[in-house]
Amino acid sequence: MDPQVYAEEQERAKQEAARIAKMEQAARKTFADGFMKWYEAKLSKRKDGPDLLRAMQKDVLPKVGDMEIAKVARADLLACLDTVAARAPRMANRLLTTLKTFYKWAELRETVDVNPLGIVEAENVGGKLKSRERVLTDDEIVDLIRKLPVSGLSASVQAVLLIVLSTGCRLGEICSAEWQHVNGNVWTIPKENAKNGREHHITLSAFALAQFSVLQEIREGAWCVPSPKKIGDHQTRLSIGAAIYDRQTQKAQRQGRTAATDALTLNGGRWTAHDLRRTCASGMQELGIMPAVIDAVLNHKESKGVTQIYQRYDYSKEAADAWAKWGRHLAGLRAIATGNNVVPITG
């Protein structure tokens, strides 16, 4: 054999042996080791990263975290996802996407040789989910306002839900709000807290301001909605979402959860905090407010193309009027709920 050819073959064999040894060493690492490395490198940079990590720590890592990453099989992961899907199909699908993205990252770095979830689709886990269209009627809003004080939710969470309803903000935006962002009757959502990465200014109606006053009375530092469990941190949208869900289950109490399993049940069926945002938009539409103004209220990103380039008016004045008009409507519903016939005539 030609000495050069022999040397090249030896070098290739050496490199292949080193590659296999590297993979074997990586395979001996636990699933949790690999996932947390990916979390620090990638997932932690995303706005939903902390929420997804909490979901993984609750339903996946306790079951497969200590296993060697190469020995974690599709059946192991699907067992975790099936448990989540039984109570929250949408979250199960989000975790599936998270795990598939993690495995793609791990494959590229030869931490694993194969993605066990490669052939698994959302329809195999949480199923194909329809877009929610739930909107609360005025009668349901009255019922909700009556039920909140006796629901067992903290005063701060009650205020948060009414802020979402009256401003159309996202639940995560109010959970991550700081008092430095609230100046008089203007609440600024910084771009890092906004889903579309664009700063948003909300002119608070009297109804919404009253909810911020509730939060101010129980203020504990920089966060508008401080965490009840972790000092120096804020409340999370997942914990509030779980608290709402638990009060509409009409099932036996889950361990560590409220016994008031129907405290927030409404006639139109199960509702979520995001449905309150949709209710705000639909309510404004019923009050005759222009769709473009409602988009400004919701901080929707402009469509691409010519509209995005040339139509730059932000409808800030009209949005302020819309929040005030919707706030007056909510104040009227609150008056019905509480039996107080005195309704303020200003926003």
Side-chain angles (χ1 to χ4, degrees):
M1 177 181 291
D2 187 301
Q4 183 176 353
V5 173
Y6 177 76
E8 289 174 352
E9 288 184 353
Q10 289 293 97
E11 180 61 26
R12 283 195 294 269
K14 181 179 178 181
Q15 291 177 357
E16 178 64 12
R19 187 186 72 83
I20 293 173
K22 180 181 177 182
M23 289 189 63
E24 289 177 345
Q25 182 181 11
R28 286 192 289 272
K29 293 181 179 178
T30 67
F31 178 91
D33 290 335
F35 183 85
M36 291 309 300
K37 187 174 181 180
W38 174 66
Y39 174 80
E40 294 297 332
K42 297 293 182 180
L43 188 58
S44 63
K45 309 297 192 301
R46 288 169 39 178
K47 289 186 176 69
D48 61 348
D51 286 344
L52 289 170
L53 176 61
R54 279 187 283 270
M56 287 289 297
Q57 290 172 330
K58 178 181 179 182
D59 291 301
V60 180
L61 296 183
K63 297 177 181 177
V64 303
D66 292 335
M67 296 174 62
E68 289 186 11
I69 191 168
K71 294 183 179 179
V72 176
R74 183 185 306 136
D76 299 317
L77 296 169
L78 286 178
C80 298
L81 294 174
D82 287 344
T83 299
V84 181
R87 68 170 191 275
R90 199 173 300 274
M91 176 53 76
N93 287 349
R94 289 183 66 197
L95 285 180
L96 171 64
T97 301
T98 299
L99 286 165
K100 292 179 75 169
T101 305
F102 159 61
Y103 270 106
K104 183 177 180 180
W105 178 87
E107 274 189 291
L108 288 173
R109 285 153 184 81
E110 297 187 332
T111 303
V112 296
D113 197 28
V114 64
N115 180 353
L117 295 174
I119 64 171
V120 181
E121 301 295 338
E123 63 186 38
N124 307 128
V125 179
K128 292 183 177 180
L129 303 175
K130 295 181 179 179
S131 298
R132 287 185 60 82
E133 299 177 354
R134 179 80 162 92
V135 173
L136 274 63
T137 65
D138 281 357
D139 286 344
E140 287 184 305
I141 294 174
V142 169
D143 196 20
L144 176 62
I145 292 173
R146 284 174 177 158
K147 287 183 172 181
L148 280 174
V150 293
S151 65
L153 292 175
S154 67
S156 62
V157 171
Q158 293 178 48
V160 162
L161 296 179
L162 294 179
I163 287 171
V164 174
L165 176 62
S166 58
T167 67
C169 72
R170 296 177 177 86
L171 180 58
E173 292 169 342
I174 179 58
C175 284
S176 56
E178 299 179 51
W179 285 112
Q180 64 175 329
H181 302 148
V182 183
N183 184 13
N185 70 334
V186 177
W187 168 31
T188 298
I189 300 174
K191 62 182 181 180
E192 57 268 21
N193 290 354
K195 183 177 181 180
N196 63 6
R198 185 177 61 187
E199 186 174 274
H200 187 40
H201 302 279
I202 295 178
T203 304
L204 301 170
S205 65
F207 185 95
L209 269 173
Q211 311 315 316
F212 274 92
S213 295
V214 171
L215 298 178
Q216 184 67 256
E217 290 175 4
I218 52 179
R219 179 172 178 171
E220 296 179 3
W223 301 109
C224 293
V225 193
S227 169
K229 296 181 179 180
K230 189 174 181 181
I231 297 174
D233 204 351
H234 62 79
Q235 181 75 278
T236 69
R237 63 183 183 83
L238 285 182
S239 62
I240 292 179
I244 297 170
Y245 175 85
D246 288 340
R247 287 162 174 78
Q248 301 177 78
T249 59
Q250 296 181 316
K251 297 177 181 178
Q253 180 188 11
R254 290 193 290 153
Q255 185 177 3
R257 297 296 190 181
T258 180
T261 54
D262 62 349
L264 292 177
T265 301
L266 301 177
N267 287 338
R270 194 175 75 83
W271 58 276
T272 67
H274 198 75
D275 294 333
L276 299 181
R277 172 175 158 88
R278 188 180 301 108
T279 298
C280 171
S282 296
M284 287 184 174
Q285 187 178 24
E286 287 189 24
L287 293 176
I289 295 167
M290 294 171 51
V293 176
I294 298 174
D295 281 342
V297 163
L298 299 178
N299 196 24
H300 280 164
K301 186 174 287 188
E302 303 98 333
S303 59
K304 295 182 179 179
V306 175
T307 300
Q308 186 181 43
I309 296 171
Y310 291 102
Q311 297 182 20
R312 311 305 298 169
Y313 183 61
D314 63 3
Y315 290 98
S316 58
K317 181 181 181 302
E318 291 84 354
D321 293 339
W323 278 307
K325 191 172 185 178
W326 175 239
R328 289 192 293 271
H329 182 75
L330 291 177
L333 298 179
R334 179 177 56 193
I336 295 172
T338 61
N340 180 4
N341 293 323
V342 179
V343 180
I345 61 174
T346 60

